[in-house]
Amino acid sequence: MLSYALFIALMLVTASVALSFWRLLRGPSLPDRILALDTLYINTIALLVLLGIHLSSALYFEVALLIAVMGFVGTVAACKYLLRGDIIE
Amino acid sequence: MRRLLPHPLLTLTLAGIWLLLVNSLHPGQIVLGLLLGWMIPLITTQFWPEEVRIHHPVRLLHFICIILIDIVLANFTVARLILGRPGNLKPAFVSIPLELKSDLAISFLANVISLTPGTVSARLSDDRSYLLVHALHLNNTDELVTTIKFRYEKPLKEIFEQC
Amino acid sequence: MLEFFISALILTGAIFTFIGSLGLARLQDFYTRIHGPTKATTLGVGSLLVASTLYFTFHEDSISLHEVLVTLFLFITAPVSAHMLCKAALHLELPSLAKLPESQTNSTAPQRQSSKDQHD
């Protein structure tokens, strides 16, 4: 039962990666693209967690945590760039 | 005492985070966590000008429970709105007058607003008296303002600021 | 029983993640799009992480709590990045379905000026 749930969940999360990627390519403005990238990070975390359960390995959490940290810093830096035209002042 | 242990709450939080990170409760790890929790605030003390004071810890827990329930309900609301027809949405900007003064309380409020029913905090006015909020679907402006003021702002004011 | 519960959590999480991204792809203007990822995705990933905590706690006979850290981190950072994005969008004056609030012209004015100069 768990394997079926994992299968469906992996499909749904992959579909959402595809949707965010579509927004990333299409997004009319820069904030749209940054938002799509941010969503892509979060979707990747979801994929990694599912993969960790599927493989019964806790190793993937460090990766998920790193992606969360780097994704947040990246989003904030990109927003700062849009707001100020400069990242480090 | 003050200079040796500038932020006791931060020390405990950092020790807790360390234990979660190494995922064990080995006594050695607890000592190392407490050591890190003691040293990091000491080194970064310049970045923490004001000490965090929580006046009602029990009320804070109660507030966090309310927020968690609201987050779950908010997700169902937003999911329904997203799956519905996009043409039916009535998004709006609302500015909410703030009574909170301290930085921590304001950022807490902004985070809570972003996490709960169909609202995202968009901008804080420069004199910190208004918070601009974007609502995904708004029927009644006054209702939203009263909800935010009484449900979220009032408890935060009691928790973080002496009244 | 436990397996059923974990499966249910995984499915809810995945469905919410999907709805969040669907909102991102489907809604019409930037300010409404931002609602999808910040809420649905946070709860989606949150329940996936709870499911994984339960799974690893019961399958490996040792309490596994470092998923809590990822959840906590996501719940703290998601609103912050949403706020920053919204602020950037307002700064760029992106078109919106709702009436845009009048832009502020007080103390951030010098910074806004300088950033405009650099853009031009």
Side-chain angles (χ1 to χ4, degrees):
Chain A
M1 177 141 134
L2 193 63
S3 55
Y4 284 114
L6 271 175
F7 182 69
I8 300 170
L10 277 169
M11 282 207 307
L12 280 170
V13 177
T14 313
S16 45
V17 169
L19 283 172
S20 349
F21 199 69
W22 184 73
R23 178 55 72 194
L24 178 66
L25 290 179
R26 186 170 174 272
S29 63
L30 272 177
D32 273 309
R33 287 175 215 269
I34 302 173
L35 180 63
L37 211 54
D38 194 53
T39 319
L40 215 53
Y41 292 134
I42 298 180
N43 286 335
T44 318
I45 295 171
L47 267 183
L48 277 171
V49 171
L50 287 173
L51 190 68
I53 299 177
H54 180 68
L55 298 177
S56 290
S57 148
L59 279 175
Y60 290 90
F61 285 103
E62 263 82 305
V63 186
L65 194 63
L66 273 179
I67 291 181
V69 175
M70 294 298 166
F72 172 65
V73 174
T75 310
V76 170
C79 290
K80 267 274 181 257
Y81 174 73
L82 287 186
L83 278 169
R84 300 270 173 92
D86 211 348
I87 297 172
I88 299 168
E89 292 170 19
Chain B
M1 187 64 195
R2 271 256 64 94
R3 279 185 51 205
L4 274 179
L5 193 65
H7 301 284
L9 266 178
L10 186 64
T11 303
L12 284 179
T13 318
L14 283 173
I17 288 177
W18 175 256
L19 289 178
L20 285 175
L21 200 60
V22 296
N23 206 11
S24 87
L25 274 177
H26 196 270
Q29 297 292 357
I30 296 179
V31 173
L32 186 56
L34 284 174
L35 197 71
L36 283 173
W38 172 64
M39 272 166 57
I40 292 174
L42 214 60
I43 296 168
T44 56
T45 189
Q46 286 170 336
F47 301 139
W48 308 87
E50 51 180 303
E51 196 201 349
V52 176
R53 273 181 188 282
I54 295 174
H55 297 294
H56 301 276
V58 181
R59 202 166 290 172
L60 181 66
L61 281 181
H62 180 73
F63 183 63
I64 288 175
C65 289
I66 291 181
I67 293 173
L68 284 179
I69 294 169
D70 276 1
I71 288 173
V72 175
L73 293 179
N75 275 286
F76 283 100
T77 322
V78 171
R80 217 185 54 233
L81 287 174
I82 288 175
L83 291 175
R85 283 183 50 211
N88 289 348
L89 289 178
K90 281 187 282 180
F93 284 100
V94 181
S95 48
I96 290 166
L98 287 178
E99 283 169 35
L100 299 171
K101 291 284 174 293
S102 73
D103 287 353
L104 183 72
I106 292 178
S107 43
F108 212 107
L109 180 71
N111 275 15
V112 168
I113 287 175
S114 292
L115 280 172
T116 47
T119 46
V120 166
S121 64
R123 189 169 58 193
L124 181 65
S125 73
D126 295 317
D127 53 354
R128 291 160 181 258
S129 56
Y130 283 93
L131 186 67
L132 189 70
V133 167
H134 182 266
L136 181 56
H137 183 71
L138 188 74
N139 283 322
N140 188 342
T141 313
D142 293 336
E143 199 188 315
L144 179 71
V145 175
T146 5
T147 316
I148 288 176
K149 284 203 87 73
F150 283 94
R151 201 172 167 85
Y152 307 126
E153 193 184 4
K154 214 164 139 258
L156 279 176
K157 198 172 168 58
E158 284 165 10
I159 291 164
F160 289 113
E161 292 174 8
Q162 202 79 56
C163 26
Chain C
M1 183 60 211
L2 182 79
E3 201 174 302
F4 176 75
F5 191 59
I6 295 177
S7 309
L9 271 176
I10 288 178
L11 280 182
T12 349
I15 289 169
F16 271 115
T17 314
F18 179 70
I19 289 176
S21 300
L22 190 70
L24 178 75
R26 184 163 185 237
L27 295 175
Q28 284 155 348
D29 73 331
F30 176 77
Y31 304 96
T32 50
R33 259 175 233 148
I34 207 168
H35 288 272
T38 46
K39 295 196 191 63
T41 314
T42 315
L43 186 78
V45 178
S47 54
L48 284 180
L49 287 163
V50 172
S52 124
T53 310
L54 288 176
Y55 179 83
F56 283 108
T57 304
F58 285 96
H59 278 250
E60 315 221 320
D61 289 329
S62 64
I63 301 172
S64 163
L65 277 180
H66 59 343
E67 289 90 340
V68 176
L69 209 61
V70 184
T71 322
L72 208 67
F73 190 81
L74 277 182
F75 269 75
I76 294 171
T77 56
V80 177
S81 45
H83 179 87
M84 293 292 292
L85 277 165
C86 225
K87 213 167 127 181
L90 279 175
H91 178 75
L92 296 175
E93 290 172 354
L94 290 188
S96 159
L97 289 175
K99 199 168 91 39
L100 277 177
E102 68 274 31
S103 56
Q104 279 183 328
T105 47
N106 24 22
S107 74
T108 47
Q111 284 157 359
R112 291 172 58 127
Q113 201 57 50
S114 68
S115 73
K116 280 233 175 69
D117 290 344
Q118 281 159 8
H119 273 306
D120 292 340

